[in-house]
């Protein structure tokens, strides 16, 4: 009798695990579908959004300055032969890998852009503070990794505002740029959330592999001038891939800049 009960329990547990596994697979498939649908737009959308944002704020006539104090137009003429790319990282800060990434970026003299999760910023504010102090751009991802299009307007705004609040507490500055999870922004929030949307040109899907070589290969096969590269500071392989990408592209004459500098051109 006891053996029969054990068999029944095992069968029930097995069926439950299969059901959970199937649900996870279905959710991942749905996420991939949403990702593909939302990110089918290119970073050109972000450049258009930036112009619209400036016009709405009546800042279009302002002459942005570079770090050395030169007008952006003069600097642009000086660097017209320079091939620029932007390296961006989503989903951080990560307690195991963001510090390692920042060490390597500092060693190489590279500035990157980090689109952070508010829930992680609250847990590891020191990492975001360090990134900001070392000259990296800090942008909003969301408070949690959710599809903003599936939320009400109020819920989506809360995701952004909570994250920006966490960024402010960590760095003393609010973020001006946002990359929504899956690239899924709600167009009607443009006037609710005064931020510039930043997408990407190259997505090597580093989150789906532990092979840094594969990630490097995918990026190098697609990269060109003004590319925005999407990575994640959430694994050792992604960090290693980032360093190899930097070292390789620098030898090819590329300069790494933040998305702000790239989009202001």
């Amino acid at each position: 009798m006891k053996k029969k009960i054990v068999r029944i329990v095992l069968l029930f547990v097995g069926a439950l695990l299969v059901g959970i596994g199937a649900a996870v697979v279905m959710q991942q498939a749905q996420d991939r579908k949403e990702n593909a649908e939302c990110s089918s737009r290119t970073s050109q959308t972000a450049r258009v959004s930036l112009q619209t944002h400036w016009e709405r704020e009546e800042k279009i006539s302002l002459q942005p300055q570079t770090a050395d104090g030169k007008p952006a137009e003069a600097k642009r003429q000086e660097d017209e032969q320079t091939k620029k790319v932007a390296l961006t990282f989503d989903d951080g800060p990560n307690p195991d890998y963001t510090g390692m990434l920042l060490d390597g970026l500092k060693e190489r003299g590279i500035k990157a852009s980090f689109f952070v999760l508010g829930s992680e910023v609250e847990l590891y504010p020191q990492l975001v503070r360090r990134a900001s102090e070392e000259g990296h751009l800090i942008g909003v991802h969301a408070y949690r990794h959710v599809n903003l299009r599936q939320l009400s307007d109020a819920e989506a705004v809360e995701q952004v505002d909570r994250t920006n609040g966490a960024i402010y507490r960590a760095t003393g500055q609010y973020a001006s740029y946002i990359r929504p999870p899956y690239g899924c922004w709600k167009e009607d929030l443009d006037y609710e959330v005064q931020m510039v949307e930043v997408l990407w040109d190259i997505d090597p899907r580093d989150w789906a592999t532990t092979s840094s070589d594969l990630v490097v290969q995918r990026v190098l096969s697609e990269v060109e001038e003004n590319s925005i590269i999407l990575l994640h500071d959430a694994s050792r392989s992604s960090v290693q891939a980032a360093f190899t990408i930097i070292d390789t592209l620098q030898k090819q004459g590329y300069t790494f800049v933040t998305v702000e500098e790239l989009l202001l051109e």
Side-chain angles (χ1 to χ4, degrees):
M1 184 65 177
K2 289 182 179 180
K3 291 183 179 180
K4 183 176 181 180
I5 293 174
V6 170
R7 282 199 300 270
I8 292 173
V9 171
L10 290 175
L11 287 172
F12 175 77
V13 172
L16 181 61
L17 291 175
V18 169
I20 292 174
V24 169
V25 170
M26 289 177 64
Q27 183 60 50
Q28 289 175 339
Q30 180 65 23
D31 287 346
R32 285 194 294 271
K33 180 181 178 182
E34 291 167 353
N35 190 9
E37 290 174 351
C38 292
S39 62
S40 59
R41 301 168 294 160
T42 69
S43 61
Q44 182 62 31
T45 304
R47 294 177 173 88
V48 173
S49 297
L50 178 61
Q51 182 178 3
T52 302
H53 175 81
W54 273 8
E55 290 171 346
R56 185 164 62 241
E57 294 296 307
E58 299 182 349
K59 295 179 181 176
I60 195 67
S61 62
L62 296 182
Q63 176 80 325
Q65 300 290 313
T66 57
D68 57 9
K70 296 180 180 179
E73 180 61 27
K75 184 67 174 177
R76 185 158 50 245
Q77 290 175 359
E78 275 185 17
D79 296 342
E80 61 183 2
Q81 300 303 318
T82 301
K83 296 187 295 184
K84 295 180 180 180
V85 292
L87 201 56
T88 68
F89 298 90
D90 287 6
D91 295 358
N94 183 286
D96 298 317
Y97 303 110
T98 301
M100 179 192 310
L101 175 61
L102 291 172
D103 289 343
L105 294 176
K106 184 175 183 180
E107 178 183 342
R108 291 165 172 79
I110 297 299
K111 305 305 180 189
S113 304
F114 292 82
F115 293 92
V116 296
L117 294 172
S119 57
E120 299 304 301
V121 177
E122 290 178 347
L123 291 174
Y124 312 107
Q126 71 280 3
L127 289 172
V128 179
R129 185 179 307 114
R130 176 188 170 186
S132 177
E133 289 174 349
E134 293 181 0
H136 304 290
L137 181 142
I138 308 298
V140 169
H141 203 28
Y143 187 76
R144 300 193 187 280
H145 203 280
V146 296
N147 186 332
L148 297 180
R149 284 190 183 174
Q150 295 179 348
L151 305 180
S152 68
D153 287 357
E155 290 171 332
V157 169
E158 182 184 17
Q159 287 279 327
V160 176
D161 286 350
R162 288 185 69 183
T163 304
N164 221 347
I167 291 172
Y168 179 81
R169 289 189 293 275
T171 68
Q173 300 179 39
Y174 289 106
S176 298
Y177 297 87
I178 181 170
R179 173 180 285 160
Y182 312 112
C184 294
W185 185 235
K186 301 184 71 171
E187 302 297 341
D188 55 348
L189 290 184
D190 282 346
Y191 288 88
E192 294 283 345
V193 179
Q194 297 291 306
M195 304 184 75
V196 179
E197 181 188 12
V198 178
L199 299 179
W200 56 86
D201 299 301
I202 302 173
D203 177 9
R205 294 167 59 85
D206 59 315
W207 54 268
T209 179
T210 58
S211 171
S212 60
D213 290 340
L214 180 59
V215 174
V216 171
Q217 177 185 343
R218 288 171 175 172
V219 171
L220 296 184
S221 67
E222 297 183 43
V223 71
E224 57 186 26
E225 186 176 0
N226 296 324
S227 290
I228 297 178
I229 303 167
L230 168 62
L231 293 171
H232 299 78
D233 50 334
S235 70
R236 181 177 297 274
S237 59
S238 289
V239 172
Q240 291 173 337
F243 294 156
T244 303
I245 290 166
I246 292 168
D247 295 341
T248 303
L249 291 183
Q250 282 186 321
K251 292 177 182 177
Q252 295 178 10
Y254 283 92
T255 297
F256 288 84
V257 298
T258 66
V259 291
E260 182 172 59
E261 185 174 345
L262 201 62
L263 297 178
L264 285 176
E265 290 190 340

